[in-house]
């Protein structure tokens, strides 16, 4: 199965049910009055973390999700049935972003954590709500509110306690296969790992942690070179970094040069990554020239004045298992003291905080433009479009009410300023509602 760590989907919450016009017709009840009930609420769309999922594969081919609409209101003031919310499961570590606004809606990292991403529309009011002394028998009702429509981007950042980083063929996959039951692809060529691999590591003292083998980074990864740019985001989730450096020299590159190049890429992507606890691991110590290269490497790192923190350095051979147990114990000890990255934290509301409520004049977002193709004036804006969608055009009373509401919003003034003349057709954007302008 291919690893999928990004997906874009369209969500459409359910429309609210329509309110109805009805009157009380019962024997011995004079002047029964309006008795039309409200519509039910439309279903919302909720994302929920399922720890059984590891990728966003479910969203690769299914990119449209829709919730059910609410039921219509009933007679005798009965409210229509509300639709059930639609729950969509996502893996741990999923970040949700609104594509249109760029706003980060949530970061789901805990099992069972939920996020409401598209809110269902409220039910329209029945005529029971519109009775007044001046109009005791109103033939007014509302259609249900449209459900929220959203385009969102899902981005998976692998949740792991320990992340393995380093150049291709540094021995990351081999180490993961030795210390866990993970079965990453291992071969004698670069980029054998093109998807993150995750394994559970358990020590003899019953401590355990999750280790992720992240695809090999190369110079320029932070600018999109190679595979590293796609998976650098996963490093952000790790609490401890094991930076693996090949000490054999068989690739023809100096170990210290490779080490500094990876540090540069991490720093360019996110400087805070280098503040994480880190162990530099010299690998392939079973090779002939490894010991000599390792001693020189340690000397160069200790003499490097450009490092913010002098890292702990250890040497292993995943093939002979030399130094592996010592490395795992040191990693577990470091994890015990490592802080939780900001990405894991969920902000909690603080109780008792004072809130200031004040009057602010509501501004209506409204635009009027001439549409030459349709030969009419086009009115657009979220408020007026929502109002049009909730207007029952089958009844004259509700149409007249809609006209008064538009006048209050300033539609008449906008049309007059734009140069509309008597008899011009006017259309509400995203609806079939057309009327004739009269000054």
């Amino acid at each position: 199965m291919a690893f999928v760590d990004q997906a874009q989907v369209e969500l459409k919450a359910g429309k609210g049910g329509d309110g109805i016009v009805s009157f009380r017709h019962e024997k011995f009840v004079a002047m029964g009055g309006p008795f039309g009930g409200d519509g039910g609420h439309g279903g919302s769309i909720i994302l929920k973390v399922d720890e059984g999922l590891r990728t966003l594969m479910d969203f690769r081919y299914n990119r449209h999700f829709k919730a059910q609409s609410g039921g219509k209101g009933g007679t005798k003031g009965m409210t229509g049935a509300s639709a059930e919310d639609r729950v969509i499961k996502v893996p741990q570590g999923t970040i949700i972003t609104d594509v249109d606004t760029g706003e980060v809606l949530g970061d789901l990292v805990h099992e069972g954590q939920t996020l409401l991403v598209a809110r269902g529309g409220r039910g329209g009011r029945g005529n029971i709500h519109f009775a007044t002394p001046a109009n005791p028998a109103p033939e007014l009702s509302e259609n249900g509110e449209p459900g929220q429509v959203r385009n969102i981007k899902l981005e998976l950042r692998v949740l792991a306690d320990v992340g393995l980083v380093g150049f291709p063929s540094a021995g990351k996959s081999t180490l993961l296969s030795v210390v866990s039951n993970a079965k990453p692809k291992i071969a004698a060529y670069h980029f054998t790992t093109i998807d993150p691999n995750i394994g559970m590591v358990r020590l003899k003292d019953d401590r355990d942690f999750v280790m992720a083998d992240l695809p090999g980074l190369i110079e320029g990864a932070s600018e999109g070179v190679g595979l590293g740019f796609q998976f650098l985001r996963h490093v952000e989730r790790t609490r401890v970094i094991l930076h693996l450096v090949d000490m054999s020299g068989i690739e023809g590159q100096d170990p210290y040069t490779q080490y500094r190049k990876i540090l540069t890429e991490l720093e360019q992507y996110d400087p805070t990554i280098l503040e994480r606890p880190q162990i530099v691991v010299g690998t392939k110590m079973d090779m002939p020239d490894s010991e000599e290269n390792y001693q020189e490497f340690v000397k160069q790192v200790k003499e490097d004045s450009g490092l913010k923190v002098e890292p702990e350095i250890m040497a292993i051979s995943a093939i002979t298992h030399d130094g592996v147990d010592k490395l795992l114990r040191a990693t577990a000890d470091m994890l015990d003291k490592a802080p939780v990255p900001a990405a894991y934290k969920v902000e909690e509301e603080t109780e008792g905080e004072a809130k200031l409520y004040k009057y602010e004049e509501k501004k209506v977002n409204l635009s009027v433009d001439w549409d030459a193709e349709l030969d009419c004036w086009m009115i657009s804006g979220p408020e007026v479009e929502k109002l049009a969608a909730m207007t029952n055009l089958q009844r004259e009373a509700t149409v007249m009410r809609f006209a008064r509401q538009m006048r209050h919003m300033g539609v008449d003034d906008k049309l007059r300023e734009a140069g509309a003349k008597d008899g011009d057709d006017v259309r509400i954007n995203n609806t079939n509602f057309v009327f004739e302008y009269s000054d």
Side-chain angles (χ1 to χ4, degrees), residues 61 200 242 386 424 432:
Y61 302 108
M200 176 65 74
L242 297 188
K386 175 182 173 181
D424 287 352
N432 294 322

Side-chain angles (χ1 to χ4, degrees), residues 2-50:
F3 182 86
V4 180
D5 72 341
Q6 282 188 331
Q8 184 171 318
V9 297
E10 181 188 64
L11 308 177
K12 186 174 183 180
K15 170 184 173 293
D18 298 340
I20 69 165
V21 173
S22 177
F23 294 92
R24 189 172 186 178
H25 300 288
E26 294 183 45
K27 194 175 182 181
F28 307 121
V29 181
M31 308 294 288
F35 221 20
D38 303 341
H41 289 288
S44 298
I45 298 181
I46 298 172
L47 301 183
K48 183 177 181 179
V49 174
D50 183 351

Side-chain angles (χ1 to χ4, degrees), residues 235-279:
V235 182
E236 296 179 35
R237 296 290 195 183
T238 58
R239 298 172 57 199
V240 171
I241 296 175
L242 297 188
H243 186 163
L244 273 60
V245 183
D246 181 2
M247 293 295 158
S248 66
I250 57 176
E251 296 293 333
Q253 290 198 45
D254 174 56
Y256 178 73
T257 301
Q258 293 188 12
Y259 168 69
R260 289 297 295 171
K261 285 181 178 179
I262 295 297
L263 287 185
T264 299
E265 297 306 319
L266 293 175
E267 185 174 20
Q268 289 179 350
Y269 179 76
D270 183 359
T272 63
I273 291 178
L274 299 185
E275 299 174 5
R276 307 273 173 87
Q278 181 180 153
I279 300 177

Side-chain angles (χ1 to χ4, degrees), residues 274-328:
L274 299 185
E275 299 174 5
R276 307 273 173 87
Q278 181 180 153
I279 300 177
V280 179
V281 183
T283 63
K284 304 182 182 181
M285 293 301 294
D286 53 291
M287 301 297 286
D289 299 326
S290 295
E291 183 61 35
E292 181 180 347
N293 292 335
Y294 177 72
Q295 296 300 330
E296 179 63 23
F297 174 77
V298 172
K299 180 181 177 182
Q300 289 175 309
V301 172
K302 290 185 175 181
E303 292 176 351
D304 191 340
S305 58
L307 297 176
K308 295 181 180 179
V309 179
E310 184 176 320
E312 184 175 350
I313 307 175
M314 303 183 71
I316 67 165
S317 169
I319 300 298
T320 64
H321 292 202
D322 288 343
V324 172
D325 288 341
K326 182 180 178 181
L327 172 64
L328 296 181

Side-chain angles (χ1 to χ4, degrees), residues 74-366:
T75 59
K76 299 183 180 180
M78 292 187 295
T79 301
S82 294
E84 291 187 4
D85 296 334
R86 180 161 187 184
V87 179
I88 302 173
K89 296 180 180 179
V90 296
Q92 288 178 290
T94 302
I95 295 177
I96 300 91
T97 306
D98 189 305
V99 173
D100 300 318
T101 65
E103 176 189 3
V104 177
L105 304 177
D107 186 1
L108 303 180
V109 296
H110 304 292
E111 166 63 13
Q113 186 178 353
T114 59
L115 176 68
L116 192 156
V117 286
R119 189 178 299 278
R122 68 170 177 85
R125 292 177 293 175
N127 70 330
I128 196 172
H129 293 283
F130 294 97
T132 65
N135 185 11
E139 294 192 7
L140 293 172
S141 67
E142 287 180 335
N143 289 341
E145 180 185 16
Q148 190 175 12
V149 178
R150 241 182 183 153
N151 292 306
I152 63 170
K153 182 178 77 172
L154 305 175
E155 181 181 13
L156 176 61
R157 300 189 181 185
V158 172
L159 286 173
D161 298 310
V162 179
L164 303 180
V165 301
F167 262 73
S169 298
K172 301 184 297 297
S173 298
T174 304
L175 175 61
L176 183 64
S177 68
V178 167
V179 300
S180 73
N181 288 326
K183 306 297 181 188
K185 184 177 181 180
I186 301 172
Y189 54 85
H190 290 178
F191 297 111
T192 51
T193 302
I194 59 175
D195 305 322
N197 293 303
I198 300 177
M200 176 65 74
V201 179
R202 181 175 294 275
L203 278 63
K204 295 179 181 178
D205 59 6
D206 290 333
R207 289 186 293 177
D208 55 38
F209 54 85
V210 178
M211 179 180 287
D213 163 23
L214 305 177
L217 305 179
I218 60 175
E219 189 173 7
S222 60
E223 299 175 358
V225 179
L227 297 172
F229 179 72
Q230 302 176 37
F231 297 103
L232 268 170
R233 66 176 68 93
H234 300 306
V235 182
E236 296 179 35
R237 296 290 195 183
T238 58
R239 298 172 57 199
V240 171
I241 296 175
L242 297 188
H243 186 163
L244 273 60
V245 183
D246 181 2
M247 293 295 158
S248 66
I250 57 176
E251 296 293 333
Q253 290 198 45
D254 174 56
Y256 178 73
T257 301
Q258 293 188 12
Y259 168 69
R260 289 297 295 171
K261 285 181 178 179
I262 295 297
L263 287 185
T264 299
E265 297 306 319
L266 293 175
E267 185 174 20
Q268 289 179 350
Y269 179 76
D270 183 359
T272 63
I273 291 178
L274 299 185
E275 299 174 5
R276 307 273 173 87
Q278 181 180 153
I279 300 177
V280 179
V281 183
T283 63
K284 304 182 182 181
M285 293 301 294
D286 53 291
M287 301 297 286
D289 299 326
S290 295
E291 183 61 35
E292 181 180 347
N293 292 335
Y294 177 72
Q295 296 300 330
E296 179 63 23
F297 174 77
V298 172
K299 180 181 177 182
Q300 289 175 309
V301 172
K302 290 185 175 181
E303 292 176 351
D304 191 340
S305 58
L307 297 176
K308 295 181 180 179
V309 179
E310 184 176 320
E312 184 175 350
I313 307 175
M314 303 183 71
I316 67 165
S317 169
I319 300 298
T320 64
H321 292 202
D322 288 343
V324 172
D325 288 341
K326 182 180 178 181
L327 172 64
L328 296 181
R329 288 194 300 271
T331 303
D333 293 340
M334 194 170 283
L335 274 172
D336 291 339
K337 303 175 183 178
V340 177
Y344 282 82
K345 296 179 180 178
V346 179
E347 293 186 4
E348 299 179 355
E349 294 184 0
T350 304
E351 297 182 0
E353 287 188 352
K355 293 184 179 181
L356 176 63
Y357 295 94
K358 59 182 180 179
Y359 172 76
E360 292 182 358
E361 185 177 354
K362 186 177 180 180
K363 295 182 179 179
V364 179
N365 184 7
L366 182 68

